[in-house]
Amino acid sequence: MIRPGPEDPSLLTLQTKHISEAIWQGHDERTLKFRRWGKENDGRPPARIVHYLKAAGFYGVSRLPHTNFESSLVSALVERWRPETHTFHLPQGECTITLEDVALQLGLPCEGIPVVARTDLDWRICCRQWLGVEPPTEHMKGQRVSLLWLQENFSDLAEDASDEVVQQFARAYILRLIGGFLMVDHSSRYVYLMYLPLLADLEYARNFSWGSAVLAHLYRELCNATNPTQKEIAGCLTLVHFWAWDHFPWMAPQQMPYEDPHTDEYDTPPPLGIRWARMSRSIRPPVIVKKQYRMKFDLMTEDEIVWRPYESLQIAPYYNNFSIIWRAHVPLLCFHILEWHQPDRVLRQFGYDQPIPQAPVDLEHAHTTKLTGKTDINWLEKYDIYILQWNNWQHRVSIVNGMARPLRRNSEYMRWYSRHTRRWIDPDSATSGHVANEAVAARELIRGHEDQELDQRMDRHCISTLQSIGEVIETLDMEQQMAPQSQQFDVPRMPQGGSRRGTRGYHAARDPILPAEGFYMGSMPQQHGFQGDAGNVGGNFGASSSSVPMAGGFGVSSARTPLNTAFIDSARFASATDDMIARWRSEIRQTPILVLITWVRRCRKKKRHAPPVSPSTTANARGKHFLFPSCDVAISNVPVYFPYKNVPSICTMGFTCSKP
């Protein structure tokens, strides 16, 4: 039986609530819809505001025209995005979009002051002061202003305009870039005016870390999109495409040679993202369907990922300053948004050998904080400890001895990674891995059919099969490739959240995923389960008469039973002997198992009522020693489903069993 992973759930704690789990459990396909401002940017800002765009740090992104989006590509990447680590989990290891990509692809400054300020100002007065005009009521929504209004009122700049008017025009232009390109919200028609006070002094605006704010906003959108119920995604998806096309050339459209046709107008070249502005639209990527993208990621090999795509490119000095901060292990802030930049997990993208990283930062309720109803909060005070961490970034730079090297499957890092990652996303690609594909191809060849290229095809498949077998044999090599020592960074304690649902992070804001209606992937193998009597319902964990074939001694009922799931009645726990419990403790370590506790009103042995289990009980029991009051059997540290009002709540715990 194929186990998609992870074997060790201590890293990917949100797996039961992740989109990859929904795919594995047979739920309907989901393709994310994009939220973006519909007006096209031609990449040619008015000449009179170029000086102020450079001063504020927005010149590079102003030179990038909008590009077409590939919904299947983004949806497939989201399936491998992990909110726990802020990285994509691929077969070859973790990789992610970093501050380096923001600086080089978009040309935004990453060093400087975090983009955090007050949100309780009078926004009409702010518009009148810094834009020169007050928006009408119908074009304002709370602290947001319509992008269409900005487009209509700041589209033409008079030749004889004063310097004050030019600056007002530049601020409106930057707001359109923020709301329509860099930090698009889910309305895709408005931009927050909370950015406007930071643009009051355009010469000083460059001191803010706009690049880290854009990355924080994008991280939040990617994390939210891993929720199977999420239907759309916003943020700077242009950066996602640029990053993916550079790191995975097999999915990129044909790139045409680019020469800036506007060198006579602009003395500073555009950032690297401009290379994709003139890509060929007639030749589409090799795969255009999301399922094909997904299977390609599942079966991707080491030579199909480019860890350092920028090292051979010519980069203008304007975009290549403060490159050390790109490796800083720091919080990413954008007003209410708090995410974490963890380059220590992707050091191969910076040319260093990859160590086993430290545990990721658990953002808890801060991971789901929204701005709604919080306009009176002073975010400078609320996030002061994280601002201090950001300002101290020089002491939080990831440094590793040793340059990047290809990591074999038996290397120390890959052994650790394979135990903690979600290896497979799609069941089809999991059941038709590389070795299996080549074996089937060779089998078809020997059946005998006329083909002039039979010999060449046979050679090609045999070589590929031998390479695949070599990869397996490589894992048996006793000489292990050791990982370098990792750095340890201190992490501040997260602020305490409220009791309202959704304020304690994704663990509380999402429900666990159950198998789709009518979905069945088969029972667990006998040799890895528990021994039991299939006909004895009263004890030894026998199956009921309605069960399908036994799963290691447990009854797996109905076609909706998820893979590796067993139903255990609490009364059977009560009748268990000490020898049986000892055997379960030793055997459960060999098989990941989800235990569904069926709470009974009256225990057979104790003859007493079992109290109901509420969602708060399951949340409080997470990671603790839990005692089943109906049978006095304690279990901890195993994924346990507690049915409550027909809506199961998940409580991830490990298995320790004891009986008085």
Side-chain angles (χ1 to χ4, degrees):
M1 173 174 294
I2 298 175
R3 303 186 186 280
E7 297 177 18
D8 185 342
S10 61
L11 179 63
L12 305 185
T13 57
L14 284 167
Q15 180 55 50
T16 59
K17 306 175 184 182
H18 194 271
I19 179 61
S20 60
E21 187 70 19
I23 296 169
W24 190 264
Q25 298 287 12
H27 288 264
D28 294 337
E29 289 287 332
R30 180 201 70 172
T31 300
L32 291 167
K33 297 180 180 179
F34 299 128
R35 305 301 298 181
R36 65 184 298 184
W37 172 237
K39 301 298 182 181
E40 291 293 327
N41 178 28
D42 59 3
R44 297 182 62 186
R48 292 197 63 186
I49 70 170
V50 168
H51 165 73
Y52 291 110
L53 292 178
K54 288 183 177 180
F58 287 89
Y59 167 77
V61 71
S62 71
R63 294 294 315 279
L64 297 176
H66 281 212
T67 185
N68 292 340
F69 288 169
E70 196 75 45
S71 59
S72 298
L73 165 60
V74 176
S75 298
L77 284 172
V78 166
E79 293 167 2
R80 288 195 167 273
W81 177 262
R82 303 305 311 200
E84 304 92 336
T85 62
H86 294 121
T87 59
F88 298 102
H89 275 229
L90 301 172
Q92 291 73 33
E94 296 177 71
C95 61
T96 193
I97 303 171
T98 67
L99 291 173
E100 177 186 33
D101 303 297
V102 178
L104 300 184
Q105 296 278 16
L106 303 181
L108 289 171
C110 293
E111 74 288 348
I113 307 169
V115 181
V116 181
R118 302 184 65 92
T119 56
D120 57 351
L121 305 180
D122 188 327
W123 301 113
R124 293 185 179 277
I125 296 178
C126 291
C127 289
R128 188 165 58 248
Q129 179 177 356
W130 293 310
L131 295 179
V133 60
E134 184 177 317
T137 304
E138 61 269 20
H139 287 287
M140 288 198 68
K141 192 173 183 180
Q143 59 174 309
R144 297 182 295 172
V145 66
S146 169
L147 289 168
L148 179 61
W149 180 81
L150 291 173
Q151 173 78 16
E152 292 174 347
N153 288 270
F154 297 92
S155 57
D156 298 316
L157 182 61
E159 294 183 2
D160 59 346
S162 64
D163 185 67
E164 181 182 4
V165 173
V166 173
Q167 291 190 46
Q168 293 170 352
F169 193 96
R171 295 188 190 101
Y173 191 92
I174 294 173
L175 283 178
R176 286 163 52 194
L177 287 175
I178 292 175
F181 186 78
L182 296 174
M183 290 180 273
V184 184
D185 68 3
H186 284 263
S187 72
S188 70
R189 296 181 292 114
Y190 292 88
V191 59
Y192 281 96
L193 287 169
M194 59 189 182
Y195 302 108
L196 184 56
L198 305 183
L199 303 172
D201 185 347
L202 291 172
E203 299 287 347
Y204 184 78
R206 188 182 176 85
N207 292 321
F208 290 98
S209 177
W210 297 104
S212 66
V214 170
L215 191 59
H217 189 275
L218 178 59
Y219 276 9
R220 176 62 59 87
E221 288 295 326
L222 289 170
C223 292
N224 289 339
T226 62
N227 188 347
T229 63
Q230 189 82 5
K231 303 300 182 183
E232 58 187 26
I233 184 172
C236 189
L237 298 178
T238 301
L239 177 60
V240 176
H241 285 75
F242 290 170
W243 178 86
W245 290 338
D246 273 323
H247 285 79
F248 313 110
W250 52 267
M251 70 168 61
Q254 183 177 5
Q255 190 181 49
M256 305 296 291
Y258 178 79
E259 293 183 4
D260 189 1
H262 308 297
T263 53
D264 56 331
E265 301 179 45
Y266 310 103
D267 56 357
T268 303
L272 293 182
I274 197 66
R275 295 169 300 131
W276 300 105
R278 293 175 57 85
M279 61 184 180
S280 173
R281 300 293 183 186
S282 59
I283 301 178
R284 303 305 301 157
V287 287
I288 59 175
V289 180
K290 182 181 63 173
K291 189 175 181 66
Q292 292 177 302
Y293 275 120
R294 183 190 302 153
M295 296 184 68
K296 182 63 178 177
F297 277 125
D298 275 348
L299 304 175
M300 190 169 60
T301 57
E302 178 69 28
D303 58 351
E304 291 177 315
I305 177 173
V306 180
W307 293 102
R308 303 200 67 198
Y310 312 131
E311 61 179 349
S312 61
L313 300 177
Q314 185 176 0
I315 303 171
Y318 179 81
Y319 309 109
N320 206 18
N321 296 326
F322 292 94
S323 58
I324 299 178
I325 198 174
W326 300 343
R327 291 185 280 112
H329 187 278
V330 288
L332 301 174
L333 295 161
C334 180
F335 286 88
H336 64 289
I337 297 176
L338 171 62
E339 301 292 330
W340 213 277
H341 189 241
Q342 302 180 85
D344 59 313
R345 311 189 72 88
V346 294
L347 285 176
R348 282 180 288 181
Q349 293 182 216
F350 299 96
Y352 293 98
D353 204 0
Q354 179 61 54
I356 296 175
Q358 72 177 84
V361 179
D362 186 359
L363 297 173
E364 300 180 3
H365 82 279
H367 216 170
T368 54
T369 300
K370 296 181 179 180
L371 192 59
T372 306
K374 302 180 181 66
T375 56
D376 59 339
I377 294 179
N378 186 345
W379 299 101
L380 286 169
E381 295 179 357
K382 184 175 180 62
Y383 287 158
D384 57 349
I385 187 173
Y386 306 108
I387 295 174
L388 181 62
Q389 293 267 331
W390 168 267
N391 293 335
N392 197 34
W393 67 264
Q394 295 92 339
H395 302 285
R396 303 180 63 85
V397 177
S398 299
I399 302 175
V400 174
N401 295 326
M403 302 305 292
R405 51 179 174 165
L407 293 179
R408 301 191 300 270
R409 295 195 181 191
N410 72 324
S411 66
E412 185 180 15
Y413 170 79
M414 289 305 296
R415 285 176 179 265
W416 170 87
Y417 178 73
S418 63
R419 293 194 305 271
H420 292 83
T421 189
R422 181 74 168 188
R423 175 60 182 89
W424 303 103
I425 303 296
D426 191 286
D428 292 338
S429 57
T431 55
S432 58
H434 187 59
V435 176
N437 285 340
E438 297 302 329
V440 171
R443 188 177 182 183
E444 290 294 324
L445 288 175
I446 64 175
R447 288 184 175 179
H449 54 276
E450 296 183 1
D451 192 332
Q452 295 180 353
E453 299 180 354
L454 179 61
D455 293 339
Q456 291 85 348
R457 293 172 59 197
M458 177 66 78
D459 290 341
R460 184 172 65 252
H461 286 292
C462 286
I463 292 173
S464 184
T465 302
L466 290 174
Q467 290 175 344
S468 303
I469 295 174
E471 292 176 353
V472 177
I473 295 176
E474 193 177 85
T475 64
L476 305 178
D477 189 358
M478 298 302 294
E479 183 180 354
Q480 190 180 38
Q481 187 178 6
M482 302 302 294
Q485 188 69 26
S486 63
Q487 283 181 278
Q488 299 295 317
F489 299 100
D490 62 298
V491 178
R493 185 176 181 180
M494 295 295 153
Q496 295 299 314
S499 58
R500 183 170 56 85
R501 177 176 173 83
T503 61
R504 297 186 301 277
Y506 290 121
H507 287 282
R510 300 183 185 179
D511 291 322
I513 300 168
L514 298 179
E517 186 71 33
F519 179 73
Y520 179 62
M521 289 195 64
S523 61
M524 294 191 298
Q526 287 278 354
Q527 61 269 26
H528 293 299
F530 302 96
Q531 302 299 321
D533 183 3
N536 185 359
V537 181
N540 294 344
F541 297 91
S544 65
S545 58
S546 61
S547 298
V548 295
M550 291 295 296
F554 294 105
V556 182
S557 73
S558 84
R560 294 191 60 185
T561 302
L563 184 65
N564 299 338
T565 301
F567 287 73
I568 302 178
D569 192 288
S570 57
R572 296 173 187 169
F573 260 114
S575 63
T577 64
D578 293 337
D579 291 340
M580 293 171 61
I581 293 175
R583 186 173 71 251
W584 302 333
R585 292 181 62 183
S586 62
E587 291 183 350
I588 199 167
R589 297 190 183 96
Q590 304 173 14
T591 305
I593 186 168
L594 300 179
V595 184
L596 177 63
I597 305 299
T598 305
W599 288 87
V600 293
R601 283 293 180 184
R602 202 171 280 277
C603 177
R604 294 184 180 181
K605 185 174 181 180
K606 298 296 182 181
K607 301 296 183 182
R608 67 186 183 191
H609 290 281
V613 179
S614 65
S616 61
T617 302
T618 60
N620 293 333
R622 181 176 180 268
K624 299 179 181 179
H625 195 71
F626 194 82
L627 181 67
F628 298 117
S630 61
C631 54
D632 292 340
V633 175
I635 292 185
S636 63
N637 300 329
V638 71
V640 180
Y641 284 106
F642 293 93
Y644 179 71
K645 294 183 180 179
N646 298 324
V647 181
S649 299
I650 187 65
C651 172
T652 303
M653 306 188 314
F655 186 85
T656 325
C657 191
S658 62
K659 185 174 185 295

mmCIF file of all heavy atoms in Angstrom, residues 41-51 53-54 58-64 169 173 177 262 265-266:
data_model
loop_
_atom_site.group_PDB
_atom_site.id
_atom_site.type_symbol
_atom_site.label_atom_id
_atom_site.label_comp_id
_atom_site.label_asym_id
_atom_site.label_seq_id
_atom_site.Cartn_x
_atom_site.Cartn_y
_atom_site.Cartn_z
ATOM 1 N N ASN A 41 -1.197 47.157 -17.293
ATOM 2 C CA ASN A 41 -0.105 48.096 -17.100
ATOM 3 C C ASN A 41 0.886 47.899 -18.238
ATOM 4 O O ASN A 41 1.362 46.789 -18.473
ATOM 5 C CB ASN A 41 0.570 47.844 -15.747
ATOM 6 C CG ASN A 41 1.744 48.775 -15.518
ATOM 7 O OD1 ASN A 41 1.773 49.886 -16.034
ATOM 8 N ND2 ASN A 41 2.716 48.322 -14.744
ATOM 9 N N ASP A 42 1.199 48.943 -18.951
ATOM 10 C CA ASP A 42 2.084 48.806 -20.108
ATOM 11 C C ASP A 42 3.551 48.868 -19.730
ATOM 12 O O ASP A 42 4.430 48.734 -20.604
ATOM 13 C CB ASP A 42 1.769 49.879 -21.157
ATOM 14 C CG ASP A 42 1.929 51.294 -20.607
ATOM 15 O OD1 ASP A 42 2.334 51.440 -19.434
ATOM 16 O OD2 ASP A 42 1.651 52.256 -21.346
ATOM 17 N N GLY A 43 3.862 49.065 -18.468
ATOM 18 C CA GLY A 43 5.256 49.107 -18.045
ATOM 19 C C GLY A 43 5.981 50.373 -18.432
ATOM 20 O O GLY A 43 7.216 50.392 -18.463
ATOM 21 N N ARG A 44 5.227 51.439 -18.693
ATOM 22 C CA ARG A 44 5.847 52.707 -19.096
ATOM 23 C C ARG A 44 5.280 53.836 -18.232
ATOM 24 O O ARG A 44 4.340 54.517 -18.632
ATOM 25 C CB ARG A 44 5.603 52.986 -20.581
ATOM 26 C CG ARG A 44 6.221 51.965 -21.513
ATOM 27 C CD ARG A 44 5.968 52.349 -22.957
ATOM 28 N NE ARG A 44 6.578 53.628 -23.292
ATOM 29 C CZ ARG A 44 6.407 54.257 -24.470
ATOM 30 N NH1 ARG A 44 5.640 53.707 -25.398
ATOM 31 N NH2 ARG A 44 6.986 55.415 -24.698
ATOM 32 N N PRO A 45 5.806 54.041 -17.060
ATOM 33 C CA PRO A 45 5.309 55.121 -16.202
ATOM 34 C C PRO A 45 5.615 56.480 -16.824
ATOM 35 O O PRO A 45 6.589 56.634 -17.574
ATOM 36 C CB PRO A 45 6.086 54.915 -14.902
ATOM 37 C CG PRO A 45 7.341 54.225 -15.312
ATOM 38 C CD PRO A 45 6.951 53.335 -16.456
ATOM 39 N N PRO A 46 4.781 57.491 -16.551
ATOM 40 C CA PRO A 46 5.047 58.837 -17.079
ATOM 41 C C PRO A 46 6.435 59.327 -16.678
ATOM 42 O O PRO A 46 6.889 59.133 -15.546
ATOM 43 C CB PRO A 46 3.947 59.691 -16.432
ATOM 44 C CG PRO A 46 2.839 58.720 -16.139
ATOM 45 C CD PRO A 46 3.523 57.429 -15.800
ATOM 46 N N ALA A 47 7.112 59.946 -17.599
ATOM 47 C CA ALA A 47 8.510 60.329 -17.387
ATOM 48 C C ALA A 47 8.678 61.271 -16.193
ATOM 49 O O ALA A 47 9.677 61.204 -15.471
ATOM 50 C CB ALA A 47 9.067 60.971 -18.654
ATOM 51 N N ARG A 48 7.695 62.138 -15.944
ATOM 52 C CA ARG A 48 7.853 63.145 -14.897
ATOM 53 C C ARG A 48 7.778 62.549 -13.490
ATOM 54 O O ARG A 48 8.219 63.190 -12.529
ATOM 55 C CB ARG A 48 6.800 64.243 -15.056
ATOM 56 C CG ARG A 48 6.988 65.102 -16.292
ATOM 57 C CD ARG A 48 6.189 66.380 -16.172
ATOM 58 N NE ARG A 48 6.632 67.216 -15.050
ATOM 59 C CZ ARG A 48 6.009 68.336 -14.675
ATOM 60 N NH1 ARG A 48 4.928 68.735 -15.328
ATOM 61 N NH2 ARG A 48 6.456 69.029 -13.649
ATOM 62 N N ILE A 49 7.212 61.347 -13.352
ATOM 63 C CA ILE A 49 7.129 60.757 -12.003
ATOM 64 C C ILE A 49 8.199 59.693 -11.784
ATOM 65 O O ILE A 49 8.275 59.110 -10.699
ATOM 66 C CB ILE A 49 5.739 60.146 -11.740
ATOM 67 C CG1 ILE A 49 5.528 58.892 -12.596
ATOM 68 C CG2 ILE A 49 4.636 61.162 -11.956
ATOM 69 C CD1 ILE A 49 4.287 58.110 -12.210
ATOM 70 N N VAL A 50 9.036 59.421 -12.793
ATOM 71 C CA VAL A 50 10.064 58.387 -12.663
ATOM 72 C C VAL A 50 11.005 58.705 -11.510
ATOM 73 O O VAL A 50 11.408 57.819 -10.749
ATOM 74 C CB VAL A 50 10.833 58.220 -13.986
ATOM 75 C CG1 VAL A 50 12.086 57.367 -13.774
ATOM 76 C CG2 VAL A 50 9.947 57.585 -15.044
ATOM 77 N N HIS A 51 11.370 59.969 -11.363
ATOM 78 C CA HIS A 51 12.274 60.349 -10.269
ATOM 79 C C HIS A 51 11.686 59.955 -8.921
ATOM 80 O O HIS A 51 12.388 59.402 -8.061
ATOM 81 C CB HIS A 51 12.538 61.859 -10.309
ATOM 82 C CG HIS A 51 13.154 62.389 -9.051
ATOM 83 N ND1 HIS A 51 14.482 62.155 -8.704
ATOM 84 C CD2 HIS A 51 12.622 63.120 -8.015
ATOM 85 C CE1 HIS A 51 14.747 62.720 -7.536
ATOM 86 N NE2 HIS A 51 13.637 63.315 -7.095
ATOM 87 N N LEU A 53 9.308 57.696 -8.365
ATOM 88 C CA LEU A 53 9.186 56.244 -8.282
ATOM 89 C C LEU A 53 10.504 55.624 -7.843
ATOM 90 O O LEU A 53 10.529 54.686 -7.036
ATOM 91 C CB LEU A 53 8.746 55.670 -9.637
ATOM 92 C CG LEU A 53 7.326 56.009 -10.099
ATOM 93 C CD1 LEU A 53 7.068 55.418 -11.479
ATOM 94 C CD2 LEU A 53 6.297 55.506 -9.104
ATOM 95 N N LYS A 54 11.608 56.127 -8.362
ATOM 96 C CA LYS A 54 12.919 55.637 -7.934
ATOM 97 C C LYS A 54 13.179 55.982 -6.479
ATOM 98 O O LYS A 54 13.691 55.152 -5.707
ATOM 99 C CB LYS A 54 14.018 56.231 -8.816
ATOM 100 C CG LYS A 54 14.065 55.675 -10.228
ATOM 101 C CD LYS A 54 15.240 56.287 -10.992
ATOM 102 C CE LYS A 54 15.340 55.694 -12.386
ATOM 103 N NZ LYS A 54 16.475 56.265 -13.160
ATOM 104 N N PHE A 58 9.735 52.128 -6.120
ATOM 105 C CA PHE A 58 8.737 51.446 -6.944
ATOM 106 C C PHE A 58 9.034 51.547 -8.440
ATOM 107 O O PHE A 58 8.186 51.179 -9.260
ATOM 108 C CB PHE A 58 7.339 52.029 -6.677
ATOM 109 C CG PHE A 58 6.770 51.625 -5.347
ATOM 110 C CD1 PHE A 58 7.018 52.372 -4.206
ATOM 111 C CD2 PHE A 58 5.988 50.486 -5.237
ATOM 112 C CE1 PHE A 58 6.498 52.007 -2.978
ATOM 113 C CE2 PHE A 58 5.460 50.104 -4.020
ATOM 114 C CZ PHE A 58 5.712 50.859 -2.887
ATOM 115 N N TYR A 59 10.215 52.000 -8.785
ATOM 116 C CA TYR A 59 10.515 52.139 -10.206
ATOM 117 C C TYR A 59 10.550 50.785 -10.906
ATOM 118 O O TYR A 59 9.975 50.608 -11.983
ATOM 119 C CB TYR A 59 11.857 52.852 -10.400
ATOM 120 C CG TYR A 59 12.381 52.755 -11.818
ATOM 121 C CD1 TYR A 59 11.850 53.532 -12.830
ATOM 122 C CD2 TYR A 59 13.406 51.857 -12.148
ATOM 123 C CE1 TYR A 59 12.315 53.435 -14.133
ATOM 124 C CE2 TYR A 59 13.881 51.755 -13.442
ATOM 125 C CZ TYR A 59 13.327 52.541 -14.435
ATOM 126 O OH TYR A 59 13.781 52.428 -15.724
ATOM 127 N N GLY A 60 11.225 49.807 -10.311
ATOM 128 C CA GLY A 60 11.376 48.512 -10.965
ATOM 129 C C GLY A 60 10.046 47.867 -11.290
ATOM 130 O O GLY A 60 9.813 47.407 -12.420
ATOM 131 N N VAL A 61 9.146 47.810 -10.320
ATOM 132 C CA VAL A 61 7.862 47.155 -10.556
ATOM 133 C C VAL A 61 7.003 47.962 -11.519
ATOM 134 O O VAL A 61 6.152 47.400 -12.218
ATOM 135 C CB VAL A 61 7.141 46.928 -9.213
ATOM 136 C CG1 VAL A 61 6.644 48.228 -8.619
ATOM 137 C CG2 VAL A 61 5.999 45.945 -9.374
ATOM 138 N N SER A 62 7.222 49.268 -11.600
ATOM 139 C CA SER A 62 6.449 50.084 -12.546
ATOM 140 C C SER A 62 6.811 49.778 -13.986
ATOM 141 O O SER A 62 6.030 50.085 -14.897
ATOM 142 C CB SER A 62 6.671 51.573 -12.262
ATOM 143 O OG SER A 62 7.985 51.973 -12.631
ATOM 144 N N ARG A 63 7.973 49.152 -14.208
ATOM 145 C CA ARG A 63 8.408 48.812 -15.567
ATOM 146 C C ARG A 63 7.933 47.425 -16.005
ATOM 147 O O ARG A 63 8.233 47.014 -17.138
ATOM 148 C CB ARG A 63 9.940 48.859 -15.638
ATOM 149 C CG ARG A 63 10.570 50.221 -15.440
ATOM 150 C CD ARG A 63 10.212 51.189 -16.572
ATOM 151 N NE ARG A 63 10.336 50.578 -17.868
ATOM 152 C CZ ARG A 63 11.497 50.435 -18.543
ATOM 153 N NH1 ARG A 63 12.610 50.898 -17.996
ATOM 154 N NH2 ARG A 63 11.517 49.890 -19.729
ATOM 155 N N LEU A 64 7.220 46.730 -15.148
ATOM 156 C CA LEU A 64 6.785 45.375 -15.489
ATOM 157 C C LEU A 64 5.344 45.398 -15.994
ATOM 158 O O LEU A 64 4.429 45.773 -15.262
ATOM 159 C CB LEU A 64 6.872 44.453 -14.272
ATOM 160 C CG LEU A 64 8.267 44.221 -13.693
ATOM 161 C CD1 LEU A 64 8.171 43.358 -12.441
ATOM 162 C CD2 LEU A 64 9.169 43.568 -14.720
ATOM 163 N N PHE A 169 0.331 62.807 -8.140
ATOM 164 C CA PHE A 169 0.150 61.833 -9.213
ATOM 165 C C PHE A 169 0.983 60.581 -8.951
ATOM 166 O O PHE A 169 0.515 59.453 -9.165
ATOM 167 C CB PHE A 169 0.546 62.466 -10.553
ATOM 168 C CG PHE A 169 0.117 61.678 -11.756
ATOM 169 C CD1 PHE A 169 -1.054 61.986 -12.421
ATOM 170 C CD2 PHE A 169 0.888 60.623 -12.231
ATOM 171 C CE1 PHE A 169 -1.449 61.259 -13.541
ATOM 172 C CE2 PHE A 169 0.506 59.892 -13.334
ATOM 173 C CZ PHE A 169 -0.676 60.210 -13.995
ATOM 174 N N TYR A 173 -0.264 56.762 -8.435
ATOM 175 C CA TYR A 173 0.284 55.711 -9.301
ATOM 176 C C TYR A 173 0.793 54.538 -8.454
ATOM 177 O O TYR A 173 0.562 53.367 -8.788
ATOM 178 C CB TYR A 173 1.413 56.299 -10.151
ATOM 179 C CG TYR A 173 1.889 55.387 -11.260
ATOM 180 C CD1 TYR A 173 1.341 55.470 -12.535
ATOM 181 C CD2 TYR A 173 2.898 54.456 -11.040
ATOM 182 C CE1 TYR A 173 1.777 54.653 -13.562
ATOM 183 C CE2 TYR A 173 3.341 53.623 -12.054
ATOM 184 C CZ TYR A 173 2.776 53.725 -13.313
ATOM 185 O OH TYR A 173 3.212 52.901 -14.328
ATOM 186 N N LEU A 177 -0.349 50.538 -8.157
ATOM 187 C CA LEU A 177 0.568 49.397 -8.219
ATOM 188 C C LEU A 177 0.349 48.461 -7.030
ATOM 189 O O LEU A 177 0.349 47.235 -7.182
ATOM 190 C CB LEU A 177 2.016 49.883 -8.237
ATOM 191 C CG LEU A 177 2.535 50.529 -9.519
ATOM 192 C CD1 LEU A 177 3.956 51.054 -9.315
ATOM 193 C CD2 LEU A 177 2.500 49.545 -10.684
ATOM 194 N N HIS A 262 12.935 50.950 -24.594
ATOM 195 C CA HIS A 262 12.716 52.294 -24.062
ATOM 196 C C HIS A 262 13.956 52.814 -23.338
ATOM 197 O O HIS A 262 13.856 53.560 -22.372
ATOM 198 C CB HIS A 262 11.524 52.292 -23.109
ATOM 199 C CG HIS A 262 10.287 51.689 -23.688
ATOM 200 N ND1 HIS A 262 9.639 52.215 -24.789
ATOM 201 C CD2 HIS A 262 9.577 50.587 -23.322
ATOM 202 C CE1 HIS A 262 8.582 51.471 -25.073
ATOM 203 N NE2 HIS A 262 8.536 50.475 -24.200
ATOM 204 N N GLU A 265 14.146 56.482 -22.966
ATOM 205 C CA GLU A 265 13.269 57.134 -22.005
ATOM 206 C C GLU A 265 13.715 56.902 -20.558
ATOM 207 O O GLU A 265 13.533 57.773 -19.700
ATOM 208 C CB GLU A 265 11.838 56.630 -22.157
ATOM 209 C CG GLU A 265 11.234 56.856 -23.539
ATOM 210 C CD GLU A 265 9.818 56.307 -23.626
ATOM 211 O OE1 GLU A 265 9.039 56.546 -22.670
ATOM 212 O OE2 GLU A 265 9.488 55.634 -24.618
ATOM 213 N N TYR A 266 14.284 55.715 -20.281
ATOM 214 C CA TYR A 266 14.634 55.348 -18.902
ATOM 215 C C TYR A 266 16.098 54.941 -18.860
ATOM 216 O O TYR A 266 16.543 54.068 -19.618
ATOM 217 C CB TYR A 266 13.758 54.189 -18.421
ATOM 218 C CG TYR A 266 12.277 54.413 -18.651
ATOM 219 C CD1 TYR A 266 11.613 53.772 -19.692
ATOM 220 C CD2 TYR A 266 11.548 55.257 -17.827
ATOM 221 C CE1 TYR A 266 10.262 53.968 -19.907
ATOM 222 C CE2 TYR A 266 10.191 55.463 -18.025
ATOM 223 C CZ TYR A 266 9.550 54.820 -19.074
ATOM 224 O OH TYR A 266 8.217 55.017 -19.284
#
